[in-house]
Amino acid sequence: MAYSATLIPGDGIGPEVIDAAVKVIEATGVVFDWDRQEAGMGAFEDGGDPLPQATIDSIDRTRLAFKGPLTTPVGTGFRSINVRIRQHFDLYANIRPCETLPNTHGPFEGVDLMLYRENTEGLYAGIEYFDKKNQIADSIARATRGGCERIIRFAFEDAQRRGRKRLTLVHKANILKETGGMFLSIGKEIASDFPDIAFDDRIVDNMAMQLVIHPQDFDSIVTTNLFGDILSDLMSGLVGGLGVTGSANIGADCAVFEAVHGSAPDIAGQGIANPTAVIRSGEMMLKHLGEDAAAEAVRLALHDVYSDPSKLTGDLGGTATTAAFGDAVAERVRAHVAA
């Protein structure tokens, strides 16, 4: 069978890294029927809409999307398309794994963390007001009991499926008594349903410090939208940066897998971008679809290629082009599948 999936190449380096990632995914032997669609700055310049109706209709049909980075204007212009997609399809769970690869020159070895971020509420709900007379801007961090319950339960269930042993809930309940307090109390309630997973909590500022001192002490983390956005980037920095970490956005019946790094228009078209983040997102997509052997082949292939510095892209000290790196990973994927 073939999996129907919406393919969004994205802006800047997006088409290059997506092409490399698709090559790697298809090397597993898992078949996809790709519906190529546009979104982001390129779509806005072409048709005046950064998220065309055709793209929404495609995801509505496939319930599965694989996408490259999109450009979002800073301060003005249209809102983040990534946020719009997550909210439109109620993709309430953002999963951000951070695992050390060889030769990434990160500050730590042996990091293996999983972060679960609430993806539709909090400050990212976009509820803002501006009092022009008094020059006061307000943003409302909206949290619902249902929203808290589903991300925390999702984190426990997914951690359990992955064989994780500990889940740390990150909050700011000492200051944000209502929103943070509710998130923490619900976490404690749900923890009793998962006695096989150790549960604890940390205040977010303390957690940020602990992660940069001894990240190996942690396993899985669940937190709210804004804190998750910040901590997930911090965690990526522990293993080499956003260019080597994947991302998944999961809802009840829809999922989008994407690179979370920027579109890097300054190097677009030069064939020097590192496609690892998108490849790892593809690995997550295969895992989500139940194609565990294929996902493991991609994971092992990345470790194989990263063990040979000459096969890496320029950002990691190698000389490989984007396409050549993708070819090298695809070759190792086929070897693992055949083994």
Side-chain angles (χ1 to χ4, degrees):
M1 62 169 286
Y3 293 102
S4 293
T6 303
L7 183 67
I8 303 172
D11 297 315
I13 61 172
E16 301 163 67
V17 296
I18 281 288
D19 285 349
V22 166
K23 191 185 307 180
V24 170
I25 292 168
E26 292 182 342
T28 66
V30 177
V31 179
F32 285 85
D33 178 13
W34 301 109
D35 182 14
R36 194 179 183 98
Q37 297 291 336
E38 299 300 324
M41 186 64 75
F44 179 74
E45 291 173 348
D46 288 343
D49 188 348
L51 184 59
Q53 188 61 45
T55 303
I56 295 174
D57 291 344
S58 176
I59 302 174
D60 262 327
R61 178 180 63 83
T62 65
R63 314 307 291 176
L64 180 68
F66 188 45
K67 62 181 283 294
L70 302 177
T71 298
T72 301
V74 177
T76 60
F78 56 80
R79 286 187 64 209
S80 167
I81 303 308
N82 295 330
V83 173
R84 280 181 59 188
I85 290 173
R86 294 166 194 166
Q87 292 180 341
H88 181 88
F89 293 100
D90 199 22
L91 307 176
Y92 66 88
N94 179 240
I95 310 176
R96 293 282 294 275
C98 288
E99 179 192 15
T100 302
L101 283 167
N103 292 309
T104 50
H105 312 297
F108 298 97
E109 294 295 331
V111 175
D112 184 10
L113 296 166
M114 190 74 67
L115 184 138
Y116 301 95
R117 166 190 171 190
E118 199 291 314
N119 218 19
T120 60
E121 296 189 343
L123 285 170
Y124 284 36
I127 305 171
E128 294 191 306
Y129 303 98
F130 182 65
D131 180 340
K132 188 174 181 180
K133 178 181 178 181
N134 296 302
Q135 294 290 290
I136 297 172
D138 290 306
S139 292
I140 296 176
R142 174 160 293 172
T144 66
R145 182 173 185 86
C148 296
E149 287 177 343
R150 66 180 181 175
I151 184 58
I152 295 170
R153 187 167 294 279
F154 178 94
F156 271 109
E157 291 174 348
D158 194 73
Q160 195 173 58
R161 282 192 295 269
R162 295 174 187 269
R164 298 272 173 168
K165 301 301 181 184
R166 177 185 176 192
L167 181 67
T168 301
L169 183 146
V170 178
H171 59 86
K172 191 65 176 174
N174 57 324
I175 302 298
L176 304 174
K177 303 291 188 181
E178 299 300 331
T179 53
M182 180 169 68
F183 194 76
L184 176 58
S185 65
I186 290 172
K188 291 178 178 178
E189 292 170 13
I190 293 176
S192 62
D193 296 335
F194 298 88
D196 55 324
I197 297 179
F199 175 76
D200 62 346
D201 69 275
R202 292 286 188 281
I203 295 173
V204 63
D205 39 332
N206 177 53
M207 186 65 180
M209 181 182 69
Q210 298 298 328
L211 282 171
V212 299
I213 295 175
H214 40 71
Q216 299 93 337
D217 288 357
F218 296 94
D219 186 346
S220 298
I221 298 163
V222 62
T223 190
T224 53
N225 205 337
L226 179 60
F227 297 158
D229 191 9
I230 296 167
L231 289 180
S232 59
D233 277 22
L234 182 153
M235 288 163 48
S236 291
L238 302 176
V239 298
L242 293 176
V244 296
T245 51
S247 175
N249 302 282
I250 311 294
D253 64 351
C254 184
V256 175
F257 299 84
E258 63 183 354
V260 293
H261 56 68
S263 57
D266 56 319
I267 61 168
Q270 299 179 38
I272 61 175
N274 185 345
T276 300
V278 189
I279 292 172
R280 282 189 138 175
S281 300
E283 174 195 335
M284 297 176 74
M285 180 170 65
L286 291 167
K287 185 83 172 176
H288 174 75
L289 293 170
E291 300 286 354
D292 290 357
E296 181 64 3
V298 173
R299 190 186 74 83
L300 292 173
L302 278 169
H303 279 264
D304 291 346
V305 172
Y306 267 78
S307 295
D308 183 350
S310 68
K311 294 181 179 178
L312 301 180
T313 48
D315 58 309
L316 294 170
T319 58
T321 64
T322 306
F325 179 87
D327 288 339
V329 178
E331 180 182 353
R332 292 305 304 154
V333 166
R334 286 188 284 269
H336 284 292
V337 169

